Amino acid sequence: MPQAPTIRPLTLAEIETLVDWAAGEGWNPGLADAAAFHAADSGGFLGAFMDGEMVAGISAVAYGETFGFIGLYICRPDRRGRGHGKAVWDAGMARLAGRTIGLDGVPAQQANYRSMGFVPAYRTIRYSGRFAPAAASSGAVRPVTSDFVEAVAAFDGGFFPAPRRAFLKQWLRPPHVALVAMGQDGIAGYGVARPCREGFKIGPLFARDGGTAEVLLSALAGVCGGPVHIDVPETAGSFPAFLAAAGLSPGFETARMYRGAAPAIDLGGIFGITTLELG
């Protein structure tokens, strides 16, 4: 009988390795992802080990008391077909048992996830390219400084299923670019651009309305000065038309899927999801 792998939580350095594996899969992770991911849930990254070597990994991050998210599910190419991936998947699902669990599934895997109880909520399309601003920047857009973090975290709660302050404290810091748009009643939207192996990914991009999202994205893209990528839910109204007019093209597609009750969040205000790895 084949030897079963040892499953244990990953150290920060091992999360770095898992992110490097994601780069090898063509997922274009952020340059500073590991530290922010670890801050979200230090025990939420599991690895399968054989003879002391990591052979598979997964993120099974717990948010609050009722929500969790699965991502970064990778088996090392030279160790595939031996059950190591299933072992780490089972461990991740066991860690999040009793919660609503989300994931972003590629089309080829959606039937598999359905068979395990995951139900599609909406499609997400990645738009990529060099952004030609179609909306002028506004004086109401400003950098997220340390005194804004708590207010941004409170605003974030309308669009994400559970509090994630520890994650945001890292996600809103350099080398990421974080901007907030102010309205008459406080924060009207915020967005983050993070440098990746290729270009920048924008996420999250949450706003009270499409006009605010357009101004924020224009400002973020102007700071990035290179190719940008943003994963846009199909619930984002006319926002894809704005992106197309600005020179971005649709490509990679996933579906947000949930096992358990779909969270009650403001889908109409989500113009770019945070990450495919952590929700």
Side-chain angles (χ1 to χ4, degrees):
M1 185 174 180
Q3 179 185 354
T6 298
I7 309 293
R8 64 165 174 81
L10 300 182
T11 65
L12 177 56
E14 290 163 344
I15 297 172
E16 292 272 13
T17 297
L18 187 57
V19 171
D20 285 341
W21 288 4
E25 295 291 323
W27 297 356
N28 191 29
L31 300 180
D33 278 359
F37 288 179
H38 183 261
D41 180 1
S42 60
F45 298 82
L46 305 177
F49 291 80
M50 294 291 292
D51 300 320
E53 290 189 7
M54 186 163 68
V55 296
I58 197 168
S59 58
V61 171
Y63 293 102
E65 299 297 323
T66 60
F67 184 64
F69 203 86
I70 291 284
L72 280 175
Y73 177 37
I74 307 172
C75 186
R76 221 171 71 185
D78 63 318
R79 295 298 190 112
R80 290 175 183 170
R82 308 182 193 183
H84 303 327
K86 184 178 187 305
V88 80
W89 169 272
D90 290 345
M93 294 296 289
R95 184 174 194 269
L96 299 179
R99 300 168 179 265
T100 288
I101 304 173
L103 59 77
D104 288 308
V106 297
Q109 290 297 323
Q110 287 168 21
N112 185 36
Y113 294 137
R114 281 178 185 268
S115 72
M116 292 183 282
F118 286 86
V119 177
Y122 54 82
R123 290 189 312 140
T124 299
I125 308 296
R126 176 167 296 171
Y127 285 80
S128 301
R130 289 188 174 271
F131 188 91
S137 184
S138 166
V141 174
R142 62 188 68 173
V144 176
T145 52
S146 58
D147 55 325
F148 260 104
V149 170
E150 287 302 318
V152 168
F155 180 84
D156 183 82
F159 308 93
F160 194 80
R164 50 177 181 170
R165 283 175 172 76
F167 168 77
L168 288 174
K169 284 180 180 178
Q170 285 288 332
W171 202 248
L172 298 171
R173 295 173 56 185
H176 297 181
V177 177
L179 299 179
V180 61
M182 301 303 297
Q184 291 184 342
D185 300 319
I187 294 176
Y190 89 99
V192 178
R194 78 192 200 270
C196 293
R197 307 298 172 96
E198 187 274 320
F200 292 76
K201 285 183 180 176
I202 309 292
L205 182 59
F206 299 159
R208 296 293 185 201
D209 57 79
T212 300
E214 292 174 9
V215 169
L216 274 167
L217 181 57
S218 297
L220 286 166
V223 174
C224 294
V228 299
H229 313 273
I230 180 168
D231 294 303
V232 182
E234 63 182 344
T235 52
S238 62
F239 194 61
F242 165 77
L243 297 177
L248 303 192
S249 300
F252 184 70
E253 176 183 330
T254 57
R256 174 60 57 88
M257 307 179 75
Y258 294 109
R259 191 169 89 163
I265 53 177
D266 181 4
L267 282 177
I270 302 175
F271 296 90
I273 68 168
T274 308
T275 75
L276 296 180
E277 296 85 6
L278 265 67

